[in-house]
C-alpha cells in the first residue's frame, strides 16, 4: 500500500471524515488483487496489464500484488513508470505509431524487446532505431472485423490486413528480427467468439507467411459488468481463446499474451461525488464529462450508483435523474439516467461505481476542475450489491 495512503473501512467513513466537496476516487485494492489473480489463473499465457486504462500508482501496486508482472505500455512515460517502479516487471511497447526518439530510448535505456507495428514504414523505423533489430520482436498488429456488441472498435485507426500482415512478417524476418502477431477485438467486447475468429485469422496469416511467430497476443477487450450490461463470464472468453488456439495448432514454443485493461480495474475503483444543486430531476454534481465520466459519452454503458447521506435516512422510492457536470460548458451533461431515491438533495453524496477504467486516466483540467483525490476503501463496492432493481441501496453515514 502506498505510503501516506488514507485507508477507510467503508464508504460511510470516507464521507464522515472528509465530507468532500471535491470528487474522491475510492480504490478497493482487495478487488484489484482478486481480479488480477483470477485473470492470471484462468488465462493460458502471460497477462499484460494495459497501463493506459488506469496508471495510478495505487492501482498498479494492487495489480502487482495480485501477481501482474507484464505490462502493455504505449508510450515512453508509461514504460519509464513501470520499469522504474518494478524491477522484475516486463514492459512491451504496444503502440503501432511511435516517435523515433521513443523507440531509441525504450530500446537503449529500458531494454524493451517487443514493439507493435502495423505498417512497413514503422517496421523500417524500428529497424533503424534499434541496432538493426537486434533482440527485437516486431509484433504485427492485425485488424479484426467489428465484433457484435463491442463498444469501442479499435481497428478503425490501427491494424494491418491479412495480406499486409503476411508482408510485414516476411519483411521483419528478412531484416533479421523475431516476430509476433497481435490483435485487439475492441474494448468491452460482449462476444467471446470474437477471440476465436480473430485467432483463426492469425492462423491463416501464419500459414500464408510460413513463419512461426515468437508470440501471439490476443489483446484486451475483456468486458466489465455495468448497471445495464451483463457480459458473459470471463471463463467463456478464456474458453474462446483456448478454442482459437486449439484450432490454429500453435507450436508449444509460441508464447501467448493478452492485454486486459478494463476487466482488471473497472470494478476496483468507485467515484464519490457531491450534489451541489438539485433542479427537479437534474442533479448538478462536482465531476462530469471533462473529468472522470468522459468515457460515458462514447458508449452506452452505465455505472451503478447509490446515494450516501450523512444523517436522516433516505426515501425507499426511486426515480431517474440526469447528472450535470461542474464546468460552465452546457455539453457537460453525463449521458443516461441514474436511479436514486426520490429525496436526493443538495449536499448528498453519490457513489458511482465501476469507474476504474478510463476515468482518472483521461480526465482533463478544463475550467479548473480536476479530480485527483484517491483514498483506499476496504468494503464491497456498490456493484457487488446491485440486483436488477432500480438502484443500489443507499448508505446513511451517521
Ligand atoms: C493495444 C491495446 N491493448 C489493450 C487495451 C486495453 O483494452 P481493454 O481496456 O478493452 O481491455 C487497449 C485499449 O485501448 C489497447 O489499445
Amino acid at each position: 500500500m502506498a505510503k501516506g495512503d488514507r485507508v477507510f473501512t467503508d464508504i460511510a467513513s470516507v464521507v464522515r471524515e472528509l465530507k468532500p466537496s471535491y470528487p474522491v476516487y475510492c480504490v478497493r485494492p482487495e478487488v484489484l488483487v482478486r481480479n488480477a489473480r483470477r485473470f492470471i489463473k484462468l488465462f493460458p499465457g502471460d497477462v499484460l496489464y494495459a497501463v493506459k486504462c488506469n496508471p495510478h500508482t495505487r492501482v498498479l501496486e494492487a495489480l502487482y500484488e495480485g501477481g501482474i508482472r507484464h505490462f502493455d505500455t504505449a508510450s515512453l512515460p508509461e514504460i519509464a513508470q513501470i520499469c522504474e517502479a518494478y524491477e522484475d516487471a516486463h514492459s512491451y511497447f504496444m503502440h503501432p505509431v511511435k516517435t523515433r526518439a521513443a523507440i531509441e530510448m525504450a530500446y537503449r535505456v529500458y531494454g524493451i524487446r517487443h514493439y507493435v507495428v502495423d505498417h512497413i514504414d514503422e517496421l523500417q523505423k524500428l529497424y533503424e532505431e534499434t541496432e538493426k533489430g537486434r533482440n527485437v520482436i516486431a509484433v504485427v498488429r492485425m485488424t479484426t472485423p467489428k465484433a457484435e456488441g463491442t463498444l469501442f472498435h479499435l481497428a478503425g485507426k490501427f491494424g494491418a490486413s491479412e495480406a499486409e500482415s503476411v508482408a510485414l512478417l516476411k519483411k521483419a524476418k528478412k531484416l533479421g528480427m523475431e516476430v509476433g502477431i497481435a490483435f485487439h477485438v475492441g474494448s468491452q467486447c460482449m462476444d467471446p467468439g470474437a477471440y476465436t475468429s480473430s485467432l483463426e485469422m492469425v492462423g491463416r496469416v501464419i500459414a500464408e507467411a510460413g513463419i512461426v511467430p515468437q508470440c501471439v497476443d490476443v489483446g484486451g477487450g475483456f468486458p466489465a459488468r455495468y448497471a445495464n450490461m451483463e457480459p458473459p463470464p470471463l471463463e467463456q472468453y478464456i474458453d474462446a481463446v483456448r478454442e482459437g488456439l486449439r484450432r490454429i495448432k500453435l507450436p508449444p514454443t509460441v508464447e501467448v499474451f493478452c492485454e486486459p485493461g478494463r476487466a482488471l480495474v473497472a470494478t476496483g475503483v468507485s467515484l464519490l461525488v457531491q450534489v451541489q444543486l438539485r433542479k427537479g430531476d437534474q442533479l448538478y454534481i462536482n465531476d462530469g464529462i471533462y473529468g472522470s465520466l468522459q468515457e460515458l459519452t462514447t458508449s452506452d454503458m452505465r455505472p451503478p450508483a447509490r446515494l450516501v447521506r450523512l444523517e436522516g435516512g433516505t426515501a425507499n422510492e426511486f426515480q431517474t435523474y440526469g447528472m450535470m457536470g461542474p464546468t460552465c460548458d452546457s455539453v457537460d451533461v453525463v449521458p443516461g439516467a441514474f436511479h436514486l431515491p426520490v429525496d436526493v438533495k443538495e449536499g448528498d453524496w453519490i457513489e458511482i461505481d465501476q469507474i476504474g477504467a478510463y476515468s482518472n486516466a483521461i480526465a482533463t483540467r478544463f475550467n479548473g476542475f480536476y479530480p485527483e483525490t484517491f483514498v483506499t476503501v476496504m468494503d464491497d463496492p456498490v456493484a457487488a450489491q446491485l440486483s436488477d432493481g432500480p438502484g443500489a441501496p443507499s448508505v446513511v453515514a451517521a
Side-chain angles (χ1 to χ4, degrees), residues 50 52-53 72 94 141 154 184 186-188 219-222 259-263 358:
K52 67 177 83 66
C53 189
D72 154 19
M94 295 314 211
R141 165 93 173 255
L154 304 177
H184 195 303
S187 202
Q188 186 70 6
F222 303 91
E259 304 170 10
R262 185 187 306 280
Y358 308 106

Side-chain angles (χ1 to χ4, degrees), residues 271-289:
L271 178 74
L272 191 63
V273 297
Q274 192 182 35
V275 178
Q276 308 302 336
L277 183 71
R278 173 172 177 175
K279 277 191 202 169
D281 56 6
Q282 293 182 341
L283 304 176
Y284 289 70
I285 59 171
N286 54 2
D287 205 345
I289 68 160

